[in-house]
Amino acid sequence: AIDWGNMYEKEAYECLAEEYDDFLMYHGQENPRFYPYGDWSGGSPDAVSTLHVVEFKCPFDSTNHLYNCMLKNNDDVKNARVEHYWQMQLLMIALDKPSALYASYDPRFPPSKRLHVVEVARDPVKDLIDEKLGHASALFEKIMNELGL
């Protein structure tokens, strides 16, 4: 399934680039880039534009793409794909972007339905993320001390 997603991610990027006017820089498999957030976190968006971070999902199971096509807004993504929602929120904070594009792509669908994009707004969750990262940092240090490392 991961190989499938990797195989079609660049094609998904090319479809998205045709639809958006703002500059998109593809990172993906060919040009990965890690953007740190503090000492303990960060992320690797699939693409970045002047206004967005972009996450491509190219599901092996077409049912998942069909399900993604029903997503319309922040709440939908947060409720249905919670791990992707939080991934994008952290990336928006790390890169100081106002929104993200959640792009689901399946080349087996008719051309007009291959790419489904949901614009996800940056929510006011920075303090919550910082709090969780603080707890994770303290736990990591505690474990390392207990192990004598």
Side-chain angles (χ1 to χ4, degrees):
I2 291 173
D3 290 339
W4 173 271
N6 291 338
M7 184 167 48
Y8 287 103
E9 186 177 271
K10 180 75 182 254
E11 191 174 307
Y13 163 78
E14 290 166 355
C15 286
L16 183 71
E18 290 175 11
E19 292 188 21
Y20 281 81
D21 294 332
D22 64 338
F23 175 74
L24 290 172
M25 179 184 293
Y26 177 66
H27 289 307
Q29 298 296 315
E30 298 171 9
N31 184 30
R33 172 120 189 247
F34 181 79
Y35 292 88
Y37 179 67
D39 293 333
W40 296 97
S41 189
S44 301
D46 295 324
V48 177
S49 74
T50 53
L51 298 173
H52 309 97
V53 295
V54 182
E55 281 300 315
F56 293 106
K57 303 304 172 191
C58 304
F60 177 74
D61 183 343
S62 290
T63 305
N64 289 323
H65 178 66
L66 187 62
Y67 187 63
N68 289 342
C69 287
M70 295 188 304
L71 306 177
K72 305 294 181 214
N73 55 42
N74 280 39
D75 288 337
D76 289 349
V77 175
K78 186 176 183 180
N79 291 327
R81 303 291 192 214
V82 66
E83 68 281 4
H84 300 156
Y85 168 84
W86 286 107
Q87 175 187 19
M88 290 184 291
Q89 291 297 323
L90 178 66
L91 287 169
M92 285 185 273
I93 293 166
L95 280 80
D96 195 24
K97 301 289 182 185
S99 62
L101 300 177
Y102 183 73
S104 184
Y105 181 79
D106 191 327
R108 298 164 291 197
F109 275 59
S112 66
K113 301 295 182 189
R114 286 182 185 161
L115 180 68
H116 177 73
V117 180
V118 179
E119 187 164 351
V120 176
R122 183 169 157 182
D123 284 334
V125 295
K126 183 182 181 310
D127 290 343
L128 177 61
I129 288 174
D130 290 345
E131 178 185 332
K132 299 293 183 187
L133 289 172
H135 292 306
S137 171
L139 179 60
F140 177 79
E141 289 181 22
K142 178 182 179 214
I143 292 169
M144 295 301 282
N145 286 334
E146 288 176 7
L147 295 174
L149 301 173

